[in-house]
Amino acid sequence: MLRKYHRLCFAAALLALACLSAGSSGAAARASASSKPVLRMGLGAPPDTLNPALTAGGNYTEPLYDAPLLHMQTNGKIVGDLATSWHYYNAGRGPHKDFELTLRHDARFSDGEQVDASAVAKWLTYFQKAKGNSSGFFGLNAKFVAHGKWTVQIHTATPVPGIPQLLTELYHWGSVQAPKAVDKPSLFSKGSWGAGPYMVDPAQTINGDHYTLVPNPYYRGKFGPKWSKVTLKVFANPSTMLAAIRSGQIDEGDGDPTTAAAAKAASFSIVTAPYETIMLYISDFQGTVSKPMGDARVRQAMNYAVDRKTIAKTLFNGYATPTSVLLVSDASAPANYYPYNPAKAKALLEAAGYADGFTVNTHVFAPMGQFGIPLFQAAASYLAKVGITMKIKSDATGGEWVAENNSKTFPLYFTGYPIVPTTIMTPTYLLPPKNNFGQYDATVKKLYYQGLNAANPMPSWKKMWNRVAAQGYFFPIVLQNSIYYVSKHVGGVTTSQARDAQVVPTEWYPK
Amino acid sequence: MAIPLLLFVSALSFLLVSITPGSVAQRILGPFASQDAIDRLQRAMGLDKPLYDQYWQWLSRAFHGNLGVSTVTQGESVTQTINQRLPVSISLIAGALIVTLVLGVGFGVFSAVRGGLAGRLVDGLALLGFALPSFWIGAVLVTLFAVELHWLPATGYVPLTESPRRWILSLVLPVVALGLVAVANVAKQTREAMLDALSSEYVRMAWASGVSASSIFFRHALKNAAIRVLTVIGITVVGLLGGTVLVETVFALPGLGGLAVNATSAHDLPMIQGVVVYFTLIVVGVNLVVDLAYTWLDPRVRTH
């Protein structure tokens, strides 16, 4: 009996020892044998692809392995990275159509190839043809030409005033890739091919779960590797991300309004900035499948009917602000264009002939968490008070959401878009053929092109956005903040509205 | 039997994926792509062909051991991706199975032998096990052992080849979360089977013949009860396979369950088919092992 007891005690002691040593494993992981520490990042979703030309959304880890042509600082100022100088020039074809940039001479891709003008022109040409989500930003049939070894010229068919912005890490175009991968894009499934300070190590990576980045031996830029390696771990569930943070497994992670308070309590700093307008886009504004949506007074009434301040305060713990217009970075209408006024909403509905209300169907992308179904259920409860019944269908996947948009059965649909310049936002929603019903407002189109062809586009674009707001083409509720959790071991993590609320991890350093 | 089952399951999953809304082309081109662009990419990927044609092409390749490449990443080998993740799921299921066998059978035998309060306790535990979902158990375990006590890692997986000690530690919480539900079921079934065996004629004869208690419990009663327990365990393994999907999400483990979820969300048909084939092979393998174990436990099965 005594022997049994001793064996039990020994086993318990072994288990306790193992557990205690596990407790210190987090610290051991950070301080590797190398003098530089490891940066451990937590992502809410994996990078959808390592090919920047085909990425569907934002991926703020991209600059770690893909150096951009230009870098946007937190204050919105654009500085050089792979390019040293850049400017529009007048080739006699009108403003903002001809652009030139000069490259630095010491940059190399992670496969050792030189980043020269022919590689950059090849990449930009491929990007346009790849037909990814951002491929239309230079308009149709833009030309990208190498002039000599270090100069690249861009010629667009229509004016593109924001080319420097498009070449930063924010819009993927500037994330130049090695010619070998451009010639054979299937190589992106096996690793990264950019010129950033790190490169993906396929041997230590499981696509969709975790990625290990090791220093790029050919990197010569100003963001020289500050970490011995960077690990990107995907946590699909915010609670799992929070557990990883609280147990010291990661140094930085994507945040969420529901877990921010707990992350703060675990001594993580919260880096946050306004990011994207969350809204319903009334794409059937001519009333094809829902007659009431064809009346501007009805759309205005919907916008007046919702108390956005209360929704933002109660659902998002301060990580969202109310907005009744789709916000852009250069010429927005005022965010409080439609203050909460249910009496006015009822009056507008009565004037439009819908005093008894009506029913409208929409669909919302469920995986958006609080910013999805709960947000629009709250909005629907306000609409119900003025007689509008909004039926919400939940989309379980992105594919289902896109399929429902294209089904043309919903007059309005859930969407969100970052605060980007007019040149990006307008083609995304307001010009043909992007509207899923093929509808567009001729006045909006005219004002957009008027601005585009003017030396100063702002007066026309301000008029345009005011018209968009007045017509109520959008039913926005809040401006969502991006949220990042940062441990005390990491410095330099900053973000701002001027930089689309993005963090750029190449700026970070160990503390 | 395995080949018709594989054919049926793969055809069914092909059909089910094809009728879910959305497509891989939409996933690749993003939310603002036009229908024209989506149609063009569908054609380029051969996804505009009739379903039976697509299935036949997949099947022809699969018969030669080629499960194709991911349509989302357009180049990632399905077999390679699954093989990368297979050890995680196998470790998880094997660990959970060991926990289930040791604790489930142990509790069941103990409560059948001791009866009274112990029996009621096992009943209570079984009810609790059925009622508590594994993801909830996982979340509680993480809060207690990883966040508060810092004894075990909250998330992630360390390969056995990298560090055997950290491999075990990374699996403790997920294995317990996955296994506890099954423990309850197996304990309950073991207890009932043991009680039946202990009340049978041959056990009474054994007691009367002066056979030792341990021999009666373990050599005679448990061996007979094991046939029923084995059936439950066979079904349990299939349940554990399904349970890995949730547990892998809660613990951020790079296993097949998470891969199945991601592939389904992305409409990555070759990847989904690959996971289905692997899952089916695992189920077939488990059934084979259970059948062999039946013949070992009860030689009469061989003669039938």
Side-chain angles (χ1 to χ4, degrees):
Chain A
M1 189 67 192
L2 201 64
R3 257 178 74 184
K4 263 188 189 170
Y5 175 74
H6 280 152
R7 271 189 212 155
L8 204 67
C9 286
F10 181 65
L14 269 182
L15 187 67
L17 197 68
C19 290
L20 280 174
S21 56
S24 61
S25 64
R30 284 202 79 258
S32 72
S34 158
S35 59
K36 291 175 184 169
V38 176
L39 172 64
R40 301 163 307 163
M41 297 171 65
L43 306 179
D48 51 357
T49 168
L50 294 176
N51 181 352
L54 292 179
T55 188
N59 168 18
Y60 68 88
T61 63
E62 193 176 284
L64 287 165
Y65 42 89
D66 298 333
L69 286 165
L70 302 174
H71 167 57
M72 188 182 279
Q73 296 176 331
T74 316
N75 58 10
K77 189 183 169 195
I78 293 170
V79 296
D81 193 328
L82 292 175
T84 51
S85 65
W86 59 94
H87 61 275
Y88 284 98
Y89 65 97
N90 190 355
R93 302 191 308 129
H96 301 130
K97 283 184 170 175
D98 299 285
F99 185 86
E100 186 175 272
L101 59 93
T102 307
L103 302 168
R104 66 182 161 91
H105 298 186
D106 60 349
R108 286 178 184 275
F109 297 105
S110 56
D111 67 349
E113 278 294 308
Q114 201 162 39
V115 182
D116 58 17
S118 67
V120 173
K122 187 184 183 98
W123 163 248
L124 295 172
T125 306
Y126 162 75
F127 196 109
Q128 182 170 245
K129 284 183 183 161
K131 297 285 178 204
N133 209 26
S134 312
S135 64
F137 290 170
F138 281 85
L140 295 172
N141 303 320
K143 299 268 184 295
F144 306 94
V145 186
H147 272 259
K149 188 138 173 88
W150 305 112
T151 303
V152 179
Q153 290 184 343
I154 299 173
H155 310 291
T156 60
T158 51
V160 182
I163 290 180
Q165 277 165 305
L166 294 175
L167 298 178
T168 66
E169 54 273 87
L170 267 55
Y171 298 101
H172 314 293
W173 277 84
S175 301
V176 187
Q177 302 293 305
K180 192 177 171 185
V182 173
D183 286 335
K184 194 181 174 191
S186 63
L187 288 174
F188 286 110
S189 67
K190 297 182 170 56
S192 58
W193 295 85
Y198 304 88
M199 55 192 202
V200 172
D201 177 4
Q204 297 185 68
T205 293
I206 292 187
N207 238 339
D209 180 80
H210 65 265
Y211 302 78
T212 302
L213 310 181
V214 294
N216 168 7
Y218 301 102
Y219 185 74
R220 300 285 177 271
K222 57 189 169 188
F223 298 112
K226 298 163 198 158
W227 312 88
S228 61
K229 73 177 175 185
V230 180
T231 58
L232 316 174
K233 171 73 184 163
V234 180
F235 298 96
N237 183 331
S239 305
T240 308
M241 175 86 77
L242 180 65
I245 286 169
R246 292 174 69 193
S247 61
Q249 283 191 302
I250 54 172
D251 304 307
E252 185 274 345
D254 292 353
D256 180 273
T258 58
T259 56
K264 207 169 182 176
S267 304
F268 272 68
S269 1
I270 311 283
V271 174
T272 183
Y275 172 52
E276 68 176 347
T277 310
I278 303 292
M279 60 198 158
L280 294 181
Y281 173 35
I282 305 174
S283 56
D284 181 27
F285 54 78
Q286 290 171 356
T288 311
V289 297
S290 170
K291 201 176 162 215
M293 291 298 105
D295 192 319
R297 290 167 297 184
V298 172
R299 301 191 298 265
Q300 289 161 354
M302 288 172 70
N303 274 299
Y304 278 120
V306 178
D307 183 358
R308 296 175 171 86
K309 264 187 200 164
T310 304
I311 292 178
K313 197 174 157 189
T314 49
L315 277 181
F316 303 112
N317 302 321
Y319 293 104
T321 44
T323 179
S324 58
V325 298
L326 170 59
L327 294 160
V328 286
S329 59
D330 45 17
S332 277
N336 194 26
Y337 195 94
Y338 291 104
Y340 178 45
N341 191 341
K344 196 166 180 178
K346 276 184 182 168
L348 281 163
L349 285 174
E350 201 177 326
Y354 296 101
D356 296 331
F358 62 91
T359 298
V360 65
N361 296 319
T362 188
H363 66 105
V364 172
F365 185 47
M368 282 293 286
Q370 292 287 94
F371 290 98
I373 300 288
L375 174 61
F376 288 98
Q377 276 173 341
S381 69
Y382 281 100
L383 291 179
K385 288 177 191 168
V386 297
I388 302 171
T389 305
M390 187 164 77
K391 289 186 178 169
I392 302 170
K393 181 196 166 282
S394 168
D395 300 327
T397 65
E400 188 177 345
W401 176 78
V402 177
E404 293 295 15
N405 285 352
N406 292 337
S407 72
K408 298 185 185 178
T409 52
F410 293 92
L412 65 170
Y413 67 82
F414 164 87
T415 184
Y417 214 85
I419 306 171
V420 293
T422 295
T423 45
I424 292 175
M425 191 69 88
T426 313
T428 301
Y429 288 107
L430 298 168
L431 298 181
K434 286 293 184 176
N435 178 296
N436 54 345
F437 286 94
Q439 300 170 7
Y440 69 97
D441 178 335
T443 309
V444 167
K445 187 180 169 191
K446 189 179 146 198
L447 286 168
Y448 176 67
Y449 283 107
Q450 228 170 49
L452 211 52
N453 290 301
N456 176 13
M458 289 309 147
S460 298
W461 287 352
K462 278 189 175 156
K463 270 187 209 166
M464 182 189 87
W465 286 114
N466 270 294
R467 177 172 171 82
V468 169
Q471 288 292 314
Y473 293 141
F474 296 92
F475 178 45
I477 309 292
V478 291
L479 174 59
Q480 174 193 3
N481 273 35
S482 66
I483 307 169
Y484 305 94
Y485 303 146
V486 186
S487 85
K488 58 187 176 197
H489 303 296
V490 182
V493 185
T494 55
T495 186
S496 70
Q497 193 171 326
R499 194 166 67 178
D500 284 7
Q502 278 214 24
V503 287
V504 178
T506 45
E507 296 173 342
W508 306 352
Y509 51 85
K511 275 207 297 194
Chain B
M1 201 51 204
I3 289 173
L5 183 69
L6 267 172
L7 285 173
F8 174 73
V9 172
S10 62
L12 186 67
S13 65
F14 216 93
L15 183 71
L16 288 175
V17 173
S18 71
I19 59 173
T20 55
S23 73
V24 71
Q26 285 169 338
R27 163 73 175 67
I28 291 168
L29 294 174
F32 301 101
S34 68
Q35 192 58 49
D36 273 357
I38 292 168
D39 292 343
R40 269 201 306 276
L41 187 58
Q42 294 263 81
R43 276 196 297 277
M45 296 171 93
L47 300 173
D48 59 328
K49 291 179 182 160
L51 199 61
Y52 62 83
D53 197 359
Q54 291 180 49
Y55 179 65
W56 178 248
Q57 283 185 14
W58 175 83
L59 201 60
S60 316
R61 282 198 307 268
F63 266 121
H64 292 95
N66 176 8
L67 292 174
V69 293
S70 160
T71 45
V72 172
T73 57
Q74 296 175 32
E76 191 182 18
S77 153
V78 169
T79 310
Q80 207 179 329
T81 306
I82 293 177
N83 287 345
Q84 253 185 330
R85 289 171 175 258
L86 189 62
V88 183
S89 295
I90 295 288
S91 305
L92 193 56
I93 292 165
L97 197 59
I98 291 168
V99 168
T100 304
L101 279 173
V102 173
L103 295 183
V105 174
F107 282 148
V109 170
F110 178 74
S111 70
V113 171
R114 295 291 292 268
L117 182 67
R120 285 198 292 278
L121 205 66
V122 167
D123 278 347
L125 279 175
L127 273 176
L128 208 64
F130 288 131
L132 298 178
S134 55
F135 63 85
W136 186 86
I137 296 172
V140 170
L141 291 172
V142 165
T143 306
L144 188 62
F145 293 101
V147 176
E148 297 301 329
L149 298 171
H150 291 273
W151 284 2
L152 295 160
T155 62
Y157 173 80
V158 178
L160 176 64
T161 48
E162 195 179 308
S163 161
R165 186 183 64 85
R166 288 176 57 212
W167 173 71
I168 291 174
L169 293 174
S170 71
L171 282 171
V172 171
L173 294 182
V175 158
V176 172
L178 186 62
L180 271 188
V181 179
V183 164
N185 190 16
V186 170
K188 174 95 178 134
Q189 295 295 335
T190 307
R191 179 171 176 267
E192 300 304 322
M194 276 293 285
L195 286 175
D196 285 350
L198 288 173
S199 62
S200 63
E201 195 69 20
Y202 72 90
V203 169
R204 274 205 296 277
M205 283 303 295
W207 283 118
S209 309
V211 178
S212 72
S214 61
S215 181
I216 287 174
F217 291 145
F218 296 106
R219 280 192 57 200
H220 298 287
L222 183 59
K223 196 170 176 186
N224 270 279
I227 293 177
R228 200 197 298 178
V229 175
L230 205 61
T231 310
V232 174
I233 286 171
I235 298 165
T236 300
V237 173
V238 179
L240 291 177
L241 272 176
T244 57
V245 176
L246 285 175
V247 170
E248 284 173 11
T249 306
V250 170
F251 291 95
L253 300 174
L256 290 184
L259 182 65
V261 172
N262 292 343
T264 309
S265 304
H267 285 265
D268 193 346
L269 196 50
M271 199 62 85
I272 297 169
Q273 289 298 99
V275 175
V276 165
V277 166
Y278 271 62
F279 271 169
T280 311
L281 286 174
I282 291 172
V283 172
V284 168
V286 167
N287 285 340
L288 187 70
V289 171
V290 168
D291 285 347
L292 291 173
Y294 278 147
T295 61
W296 176 71
L297 285 168
D298 185 356
R300 287 172 301 176
V301 174
R302 256 176 278 176
T303 61
H304 290 294

